[in-house]
């Protein structure tokens, strides 16, 4: 007994040691992906401020604002609170929306309905409290509130993508601009062209996956993270040893009392010090909560506090050098080494938001809120690691366009500030709902979180909104365009669901169709893809039987069900049932938005046939195997809107837009790895 106990304790210790070592390795890798945008913000924060005759008191006030912004938003909000609001390890605004939908009946799309117990899919039921609170009841009963919640999540996702466009542009441009200090003859177009070329190279590396990219980039970010605070300490010692007195909040009060409206406008520049903090949450699926917490608290936060302190100490003694606030504070002997490190770090900084963009696009695609694009899983061990070629190249074009179109770092900074703080405000709102609806946090504690952060971030939002006409319009334009795409896609999917419900094929009607004159059962196994609802099938089935006058001996109506969870347990993934007529079955394959859905060769048929053999008797199972041996075919219905002259204008525009999106996006079958020779598509038109 003692020996067994000692063995268990030793095994637990080994497991703990292994867990700690894995967290430390992941923490090191996060430097190359998660924190790039945040830790390189000293490159452009001071240059983005439009200061006029700044004084020592001004700089002390600005540093105090940046210190408390990093502490409150970075440490308190994200590290201590937001990282706990993950959905099976996935983070971001859509993950929080998913989490809310699991715990309350607040989802919008009917296709995301949770199955009933008799369909053996109980594990994905919403975990609903016995006594729902008043807030949850209000949201569940109000379609307006539910739509506003969905719109908020969509805007958060769209703003994060806008962040993914601007972070690479401003980071690389600010770093390469360091060439113009020692070489004034270097023109702005040359800096812009070199920056664009570097970004193109970065985007071409994305296909190799986050793990390989982060392993290659982490040493660069480690060099940046640990050299900039060293220079900061040197600058503090040489220029202003008493800089840390600015930690006292009374310097913030004095700053606003002195500068008033001007001080409020300068918040649009100081907000950039927290750039990339949202990536800590959005990139959670690529790493782990503990690894991100370890990396931030042990290296990123101290590095930023010391670097900004050093920059401010230098500027207090050189008040007019703020337009080049980073390179001017670097000592001459280490200028070129720091230029090289800064350039490489700026390239790496782009990675955090690029990876986050891939994650949120994947989440929205599999939840059917965005047109289907190709999503590649780049790691066998980490399912959250994804790469989307179409998204990657679109980001690349937009990033290069921003550099060539704006050119000046201040203009990009104006646009950047709008995105940064709006994403954070949306996260604050959704996180408050998570606290109230899911965690059951006492309302007083929720108020202690909500009120200070809404006031802080709301003040920042009011300041950056003054920059909308000076570049801030760009992220709004990108977000509106993305939101229009998502709404058009959602509206089309909604209308199709309504049509299917009105023209449904019940199991009784299916029996009548098969018993009709001239209808034959042909050899083989047919997978008929259908968005099967409770008790009925897609109208395409009736269209198929009436025109083909046949159905395979074994027909499986297959539904791929994306559910509002990150991952579905293997034992709950495939569920089958008889549908009445002989040889006709229903099968649902469930996948969360972090699951892999790419099948190899006959893997799909094998999984379904295995489930059928477990569900039916030996004789019937042998019949299924015989049908499979005779040949497998995958039939997919393609219902299209016919937009005619009598269609009302609203539907003509939106459904026409949906049909355009539907015709250009990827098909569901190629995404499953189904062999081309086994695919059949059955088309069907209906009046819009």
């Amino acid at each position: 007994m003692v020996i067994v106990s000692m063995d268990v304790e030793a095994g637990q210790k080994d497991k703990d040691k292994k867990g700690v070592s894995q967290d430390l390795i992941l923490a090191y890798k996060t430097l190359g992906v998660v924190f790039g945008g945040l830790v390189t913000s000293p490159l452009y924060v001071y240059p983005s401020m439009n200061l006029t005759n700044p004084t020592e008191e001004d700089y002390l006030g600005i540093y105090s604002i940046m210190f408390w912004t990093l502490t409150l938003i970075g440490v308190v909000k994200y590290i201590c609170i937001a990282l706990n609001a993950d959905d099976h390890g996935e983070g971001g605004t859509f993950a929080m929306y998913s989490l809310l939908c699991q715990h309350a009946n607040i989802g919008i799309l009917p296709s995301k309905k949770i199955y009933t117990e008799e369909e053996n899919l109980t594990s994905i039921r919403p975990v609903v409290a016995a006594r729902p609170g008043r807030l949850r009841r209000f949201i569940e009963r109000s379609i307006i509130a539910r739509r506003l919640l969905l719109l908020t999540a969509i805007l958060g996702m769209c703003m994060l993508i806008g962040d993914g466009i601007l972070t690479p542009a401003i980071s690389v441009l600010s770093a390469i601009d360091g060439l113009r200090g020692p070489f004034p003859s270097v023109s702005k177009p040359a800096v812009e062209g070199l920056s664009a070329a570097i970004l193109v190279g970065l985007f071409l590396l994305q296909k190799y996956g986050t793990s390989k990219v982060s392993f290659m980039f982490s040493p660069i970010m480690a060099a940046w993270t640990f050299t900039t605070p060293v220079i900061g300490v040197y600058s503090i010692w040489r220029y202003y040893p008493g800089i840390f007195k600015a930690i006292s909040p009374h310097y913030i009060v004095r700053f606003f009392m002195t500068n008033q409206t001007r001080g409020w406008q300068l918040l649009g520049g100081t907000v950039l010090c927290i750039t990339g903090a949202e990536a800590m949450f959005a990139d959670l699926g690529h790493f782990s909560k503990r690894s991100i917490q370890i990396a931030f608290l042990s290296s990123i936060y101290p590095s930023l506090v010391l670097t900004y302190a050093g920059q401010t100490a230098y500027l207090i003694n050189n008040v007019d050098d703020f337009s080049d606030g980073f390179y001017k504070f670097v000592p001459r002997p280490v200028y070129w080494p720091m230029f090289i490190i800064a350039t490489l770090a700026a390239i790496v900084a782009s990675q955090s938001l690029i990876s986050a963009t891939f994650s949120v696009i994947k989440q929205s695609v599999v939840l059917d809120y965005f047109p289907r694009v190709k999503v590649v899983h780049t790691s066998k061990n980490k399912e959250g690691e994804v790469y989307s070629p179409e998204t990657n190249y679109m980001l690349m074009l937009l990033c290069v366009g921003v550099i060539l179109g704006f050119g000046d770092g201040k203009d990009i900074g104006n646009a950047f500030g709008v995105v940064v703080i709006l994403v954070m405000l949306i996260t604050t709102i959704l996180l408050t709902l998570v606290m109230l609806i899911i965690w059951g946090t006492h309302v007083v504690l929720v108020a202690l979180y909500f009120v200070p952060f809404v006031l802080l971030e709301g003040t920042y939002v009011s300041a950056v909104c003054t920059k909308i006409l000076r570049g801030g319009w760009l992220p709004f334009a990108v977000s509106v365009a993305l939101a229009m795409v998502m709404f058009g896609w959602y509206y089309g999917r909604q209308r199709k669901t309504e049509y299917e419900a009105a023209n449904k094929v019940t199991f009784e009607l299916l029996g009548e169709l098969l018993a009709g004159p001239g209808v034959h059962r042909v050899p083989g196994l047919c997978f008929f893809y259908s968005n099967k609802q409770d008790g009925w099938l897609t109208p395409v089935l009736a269209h198929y039987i009436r025109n083909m006058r046949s159905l395979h001996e074994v027909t499986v109506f297959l539904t791929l069900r994306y559910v509002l969870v990150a991952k579905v347990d293997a034992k709950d993934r495939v569920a089958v049932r008889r549908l009445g007529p002989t040889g006709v079955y229903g099968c649902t394959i469930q996948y969360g938005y972090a699951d892999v859905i790419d099948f190899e060769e006959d893997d799909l048929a094998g999984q379904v046939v295995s489930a059928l053999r477990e569900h039916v008797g030996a004789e019937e199972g042998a019949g299924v195997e015989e049908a499979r041996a005779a040949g497998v075919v995958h039939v997919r219905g393609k219902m299209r809107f016919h937009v005619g002259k009598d269609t009302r204008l609203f539907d003509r525009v939106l459904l026409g837009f949906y049909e355009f999106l539907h015709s250009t996006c990827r098909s569901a079958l190629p995404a499953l790895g189904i062999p081309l020779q086994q695919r059949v598509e059955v088309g069907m038109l209906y009046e819009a």
Side-chain angles (χ1 to χ4, degrees), residues 372 489 493 496 636 638-640 657-666:
R372 190 177 297 107
W489 182 261
R493 303 298 290 178
K496 279 196 171 184
R636 176 174 179 254
K638 211 167 187 178
M639 300 201 323
R640 306 294 299 270
F657 182 50
Y658 168 79
E659 285 299 321
F660 168 75
L661 293 174
H662 194 269
S663 63
T664 54
C665 76
R666 292 178 178 266

Side-chain angles (χ1 to χ4, degrees), residues 520-525 544 549-554:
H520 303 284
R521 302 297 293 272
V522 297
L525 170 62
Y544 175 81
R549 312 300 298 172
S550 65
L551 194 68
H552 285 75
E553 283 181 340
V554 176

Side-chain angles (χ1 to χ4, degrees), residues 2 62 102 113 163 165 180 217 254 274 313 384 389 413 415 452 533 583 587-588 597 615 637 685:
V2 176
I62 290 170
Q102 292 172 57
K113 185 185 74 62
D163 205 349
I165 295 167
R180 301 182 67 196
F217 284 171
R254 287 167 61 176
I274 200 65
Q533 304 292 335
C587 175
T588 299
I597 61 168
H615 185 74
L685 283 174

Side-chain angles (χ1 to χ4, degrees), residues 554 578 582 585 612-613 616-627:
V554 176
R578 290 187 181 89
T582 304
Y585 307 94
L612 281 171
R613 294 191 67 172
V616 301
E619 184 178 343
E620 199 171 342
V624 173
E625 287 287 1
E626 288 178 13

Side-chain angles (χ1 to χ4, degrees), residues 325-371:
F326 178 76
Y327 284 110
K328 286 288 180 69
F329 110 105
V330 175
R332 294 300 98 187
V334 296
Y335 185 91
W336 287 112
M338 282 307 300
F339 172 77
I340 295 171
I341 293 174
T343 302
L344 294 174
I347 296 170
V348 178
S350 310
Q351 187 62 46
S352 62
L353 273 305
I354 294 173
S355 297
T357 301
F358 291 156
S359 293
V360 296
I361 286 290
K362 183 212 171 186
Q363 292 172 16
S364 58
V365 166
V366 298
L367 292 174
D368 214 7
Y369 286 98
F370 198 81

